[in-house]
Amino acid sequence: MTIIDGKEVAAAMKRSIAEEVARMVADGAKAPHLVAILVGEDGASQTYVGHKEKCCNEVGFRSTVVRLPGETTEAELLERIAGLNADPDVDGFIVQLPLPGHISEQKVIEAIDPRKDVDGFHPVNTGRMISGLPSYLPATPDGILSLLRYYGIETAGKHCVVIGRSNIVGRPMANLLSQKGWDCTVTVCHSRTANLREVVASGDIVVAALGKAEFVTADMVKEGAVVIDVGITRVPSDKTKSGWKLLGDVKYDDVAPRCSYITPVPGGVGPMTIVSLMQNTLKAAKGEIYPK
Ligand code: GUN
């Protein structure tokens, strides 16, 4: 059994992005500029945005965080987005989710210029991805593909079971793995799936992205399967200084001995998502998806 080390892969990919940025800047280009809009005081969102800023600094990007109060109206946020869409100094931007309940996330996502949508959440980018056209790929599925590539994990002809059908993980993951080059036979499981345990147990590759701590148990996993755990649920713990710890969607200690490869939580998929965001921002700066 091999433990997939997301921290190592992320560090290697960040080094290569940093080298490319250094070359671009030496050749007279400006450094890629990523902006994050953060509305309100959500603790997890503040942590994510902090990580994104740090990562931008590490790879040589410019980074700006626009912090708006939780009472910001939808109209005010849409106005900010229009400003960033029009600002030639900004290569890409994201609006950190979740947003306060009075703001429509869908309206916000659709207000972002697809050319600057480095989260890859705009329907234009989703549509391009599904059509197999160049597009910004959503960070978590893209990070998982990078892990599979780095470890040389065979996917062609394999049965991949994706648990969860969210717009940002399950659905795009299932679509990408079915595309040419990855060539999986994909099954998507969700809350209404019949015989879910049996379906998961037939997977050569299992991507657990349903957001339920330790949902996938050893009896649901085929011997030799590749298990990718996207879950991050915070639970109270008296063993950590912070008073909480992170659990994945997979009961790791029981499942790991059955696997050929498995991602731990933390340190598996998590560190990869920011790298994917950096790659999308670099593509935006270079006009790789949408020529400037
Ligand atoms: N909240 C949690 N993950 C993400 C992400 O990848 N992008 C945005 N915009 N918000 C998030």
Side-chain angles (χ1 to χ4, degrees), residues 37 45 48 52 94-98 119 121 138-140 168 273 277:
I37 302 183
S45 291
Y48 288 142
K52 285 167 191 166
I94 64 158
V95 179
Q96 187 66 32
L97 305 177
D119 261 331
F121 292 169
T140 303
I168 63 174
T273 60
L277 179 66

Side-chain angles (χ1 to χ4, degrees), residues 27 32 43 54 79 88 94 115 135 142 149 154-155 180 182 191 257:
D27 288 345
K54 181 167 167 277
E79 210 171 297
I94 64 158
R115 289 173 296 184
S135 90
D142 187 41
R149 202 183 286 119
E154 181 62 73
T155 54
K180 274 205 164 44
W182 296 100
S191 51

